[in-house]
Amino acid sequence: MTSFPKSFLWGGATAANQYEGGAFEGGKGLSVCDVLTGGSMTRRRQLTWKNPVTGETGSTDLRPRQPLVLPENAIPAVLEGEYYPSHQAVDFYHHYKEDIALAAEMGFKAFRMSINWARIFPEGDEETPNEEGLKFYDEVFAELRKYHIEPLVTMSHYEIPLTLCTRYGGWANRKLIGFFENYARVLFTRYSNTVKYWLTFNEIDNVVGYPFICAGVPEYSDQAIAQAAHNMFVASARVVKLKNEINPDMMVGQMLAYMPVYGYSCNPKDQLLAMEKEREALFFSDVQVGGYYPNYKLKEYDRKGIFLETEKDDFYLIRNYPCEFIGFSCYKSMTVSSEKPEVRNLKNPYLKESQWGWAIDPDCLRLTLNTLYDRYHKPLWIVENGLGAEDKLENGTVNDDYRIAYLQDSVRSISEAINLDGVEVMGLTVWGWIDIVSAGTGEMKKRYGLVYVDLDDEGHGTLKRYRKKSFDWYKKVIATNGESL
Ligand code: BGP
């Protein structure tokens, strides 16, 4: 039997770059995702660029953990004739009333979304914000409040103003701390009465694999990435401090991409490798939540000759203004073997996989919740979890029993962490509760939604919304506070 505290915040999650659209409306500037083309089974997602002097244009693959190779003087840019899925996305910009009504119909208590930084500061380094952008979110929050839905707002979910990348080199430049603090001040002041829960950087640990999308860092080097991470840590601490000054009732959380890592066998060498892999993510929570740079990372920086540029107050701020809760995404687990250390993830013989090769692991949430709670003793919020799958719309609905089965296991796993282990869990916002563009592949075909949106990988479709079978299922889960699965 599953059971949840009365205050449990059930809901769904989205991000502006994948959901909002209106890329050229309301005075919005370009963000890093606006120069990424769409993907499909036959075409990879690309970053497009232009040389402003010669006019030469082109595109390049954006591969995880691979250098971003642009020709000399070329900068990321939007090109004519290319399809960029973030520009329209699924058009929340014009559908927010309809979408929030659907969320309310399911009984959502919480709605995770991000504010598009480039809608508030089109180039990122302005002193005064774009009022039209702020007004858009005033309206969205008013609509959520109308249904008593609590917004959970990510301040930077892969929507760094592109100019901060081309003019400053992204988060590797310390100046971004000040720009972000200014942005945070505007948001906290304006929305202090409407938004209680904030997340600073979506999946901050992805700065290592995806420095361009996650931190606007065009350069791939261990040094630049370590510096970017440090600058983000300082910014996070300054934002928590600022929040305390403006309205201490608000809460600022960390957002971590986490997955349990298993050693392939009981060979201790496999377990050691699994420990090291888990630390790749835990380092970020050790600093941003724990308040300290762990020794294992300092040793690694020494070995690699990485030198951090810091200022006097940095470590004081990190120590004294940690995040107050941990939001995390968790979709899958990973398996590693010391015999094949070059393979990032092996197929786990005990688990099935999604159509995109992600291990479907019914226990990964309980494991993750325990790992993070044992380490930090702070409340946790599963801000992303769900199944990306191809759906077939038939007779105005989708029979997505596979998605229901995945989410049933997730809810069960969370209930176990709460009831068997005593973990403090604030809520669950199911990822992509309405179909949106995939962050990793740029596809529409990879759908997570409980609501179907008529749009394909090339941007064709009516954008009409349809309730899937999982919509009714989740509605019942929320109505019974997780007792009926
Ligand atoms: C996380 C991101 C989301 C998201 C999700 C699913 O990494 O925070 O933005 O989209 O994963 O990933 P994908 O869209 O690649 O399937």
Side-chain angles (χ1 to χ4, degrees):
M1 168 93 177
T2 44
S3 88
F4 288 82
K6 276 209 180 68
S7 58
F8 195 79
L9 292 160
W10 300 95
T14 58
N17 77 88
Q18 294 160 259
Y19 183 34
E20 190 178 274
F24 301 99
E25 293 178 66
K28 179 185 160 297
L30 287 177
S31 80
V32 287
C33 278
D34 292 332
V35 293
L36 300 183
T37 63
S40 66
M41 289 295 188
T42 51
R43 185 167 30 80
R44 285 184 70 89
R45 202 167 202 208
Q46 301 266 307
L47 178 145
T48 54
W49 50 261
K50 184 172 183 160
N51 182 324
V53 181
T54 63
E56 192 197 351
T57 59
S59 58
T60 186
D61 264 5
L62 196 66
R63 292 176 188 270
R65 286 158 224 275
Q66 295 293 321
L68 176 59
V69 189
L70 297 182
E72 219 183 316
N73 300 324
I75 53 168
V78 166
L79 306 180
E80 246 173 71
E82 290 284 355
Y83 172 58
Y84 299 91
S86 67
H87 293 187
Q88 173 189 246
V90 296
D91 201 23
F92 177 64
Y93 197 68
H94 297 107
H95 289 74
Y96 68 91
K97 288 194 179 168
E98 178 187 350
D99 289 358
I100 291 171
L102 282 165
E105 190 184 324
M106 267 187 283
F108 276 22
K109 313 265 184 254
F111 187 101
R112 177 173 177 226
M113 53 179 274
S114 65
I115 289 185
N116 207 327
W117 186 352
R119 197 175 282 295
I120 308 301
F121 287 99
E123 296 198 339
D125 58 359
E126 299 91 338
E127 276 180 19
T128 47
N130 169 32
E131 180 57 29
E132 226 183 320
L134 290 166
K135 277 205 179 111
F136 170 65
Y137 297 107
D138 281 339
E139 288 167 23
V140 170
F141 296 142
E143 202 63 21
L144 288 169
R145 285 285 164 219
K146 189 167 121 192
Y147 297 103
H148 309 291
I149 299 175
E150 203 65 65
L152 166 62
V153 177
T154 319
M155 300 163 79
S156 179
H157 192 135
Y158 308 155
E159 293 118 4
I160 298 149
L162 187 62
T163 311
L164 293 184
C165 162
T166 53
R167 195 176 286 159
Y168 299 95
W171 274 100
N173 188 327
R174 214 184 147 92
K175 285 207 172 100
L176 264 78
I177 300 174
F179 300 144
F180 191 73
E181 204 179 347
N182 193 26
Y183 168 54
R185 181 174 291 108
V186 167
L187 300 188
F188 288 165
T189 311
R190 178 86 168 211
Y191 305 123
S192 160
N193 296 324
T194 19
V195 180
K196 179 174 163 72
Y197 301 107
W198 299 89
L199 298 166
T200 44
F201 305 108
N202 182 62
E203 300 190 326
I204 185 169
D205 43 323
N206 270 345
V207 65
V208 177
Y210 304 88
F212 176 74
I213 299 180
C214 194
V217 176
E219 178 195 346
Y220 178 98
S221 74
D222 288 345
Q223 175 66 45
I225 288 169
Q227 190 63 54
H230 179 77
N231 295 340
M232 290 162 101
F233 293 143
V234 176
S236 168
R238 280 167 68 160
V239 162
V240 173
K241 181 168 184 287
L242 184 69
K243 185 275 306 182
N244 290 346
E245 287 156 17
I246 295 176
N247 176 1
D249 290 340
M250 298 191 293
M251 286 179 84
V252 175
Q254 187 206 23
M255 174 17 179
L256 189 73
Y258 191 82
M259 48 199 150
V261 185
Y262 306 132
Y264 194 80
S265 74
C266 51
N267 178 347
K269 296 280 182 259
D270 285 4
Q271 305 311 317
L272 277 173
L273 187 60
M275 176 190 80
E276 285 171 6
K277 293 288 171 199
E278 286 195 337
R279 279 179 173 171
E280 287 179 7
L282 291 172
F283 156 59
F284 288 84
S285 38
D286 283 348
V287 185
Q288 217 186 346
V289 181
Y292 69 101
Y293 262 77
N295 286 348
Y296 60 82
K297 190 53 78 175
L298 296 175
K299 290 281 180 198
E300 180 191 325
Y301 283 178
D302 271 356
R303 280 196 302 277
K304 291 182 171 166
I306 291 171
F307 176 76
L308 290 181
E309 270 179 43
T310 60
E311 284 185 9
K312 205 170 84 245
D313 280 354
D314 288 4
F315 297 98
Y316 172 84
L317 287 166
I318 286 171
R319 162 62 75 203
N320 287 286
Y321 298 97
C323 285
E324 299 163 288
F325 69 98
I326 306 171
F328 67 88
S329 66
C330 181
Y331 294 87
K332 56 182 174 186
S333 53
M334 267 173 54
T335 303
V336 294
S337 162
S338 56
E339 285 172 21
K340 293 183 185 157
E342 69 294 347
V343 183
R344 242 194 105 62
N345 184 23
L346 291 163
K347 191 170 165 25
N348 184 325
Y350 296 96
L351 301 176
K352 294 201 182 96
E353 287 185 343
S354 78
Q355 289 159 304
W356 274 264
W358 291 17
I360 299 179
D361 183 342
D363 295 308
C364 67
L365 288 179
R366 182 175 172 202
L367 278 162
T368 300
L369 287 163
N370 275 284
T371 301
L372 297 175
Y373 194 66
D374 286 353
R375 203 161 172 124
Y376 309 111
H377 302 283
K378 294 238 170 127
L380 294 151
W381 191 336
I382 304 107
V383 299
E384 286 187 30
N385 173 262
L387 178 72
E390 268 191 82
D391 285 339
K392 214 156 138 208
L393 184 71
E394 279 172 327
N395 307 318
T397 188
V398 175
N399 204 348
D400 56 345
D401 287 321
Y402 39 91
R403 183 168 293 110
I404 294 174
Y406 178 98
L407 292 171
Q408 274 167 336
D409 281 338
S410 296
V411 174
R412 223 174 263 131
S413 193
I414 301 167
S415 171
E416 285 170 6
I418 295 172
N419 298 302
L420 300 178
D421 308 316
V423 177
E424 268 175 276
V425 189
M426 298 165 73
L428 163 70
T429 49
V430 169
W431 178 252
W433 69 270
I434 179 165
D435 292 344
I436 56 179
V437 177
S438 156
T441 69
E443 292 166 292
M444 261 314 288
K445 200 189 288 115
K446 191 178 186 191
R447 297 172 182 275
Y448 288 83
L450 318 172
V451 172
Y452 184 93
V453 179
D454 177 28
L455 188 75
D456 69 15
D457 288 345
E458 272 72 44
H460 305 122
T462 59
L463 293 173
K464 198 166 153 19
R465 277 73 166 139
Y466 300 86
R467 293 165 187 79
K468 301 183 193 176
K469 189 174 177 185
S470 51
F471 182 99
D472 294 324
W473 172 80
Y474 198 42
K475 187 175 171 180
K476 199 165 88 194
V477 172
I478 299 176
T480 60
N481 200 27
E483 276 185 20
S484 165
L485 295 190

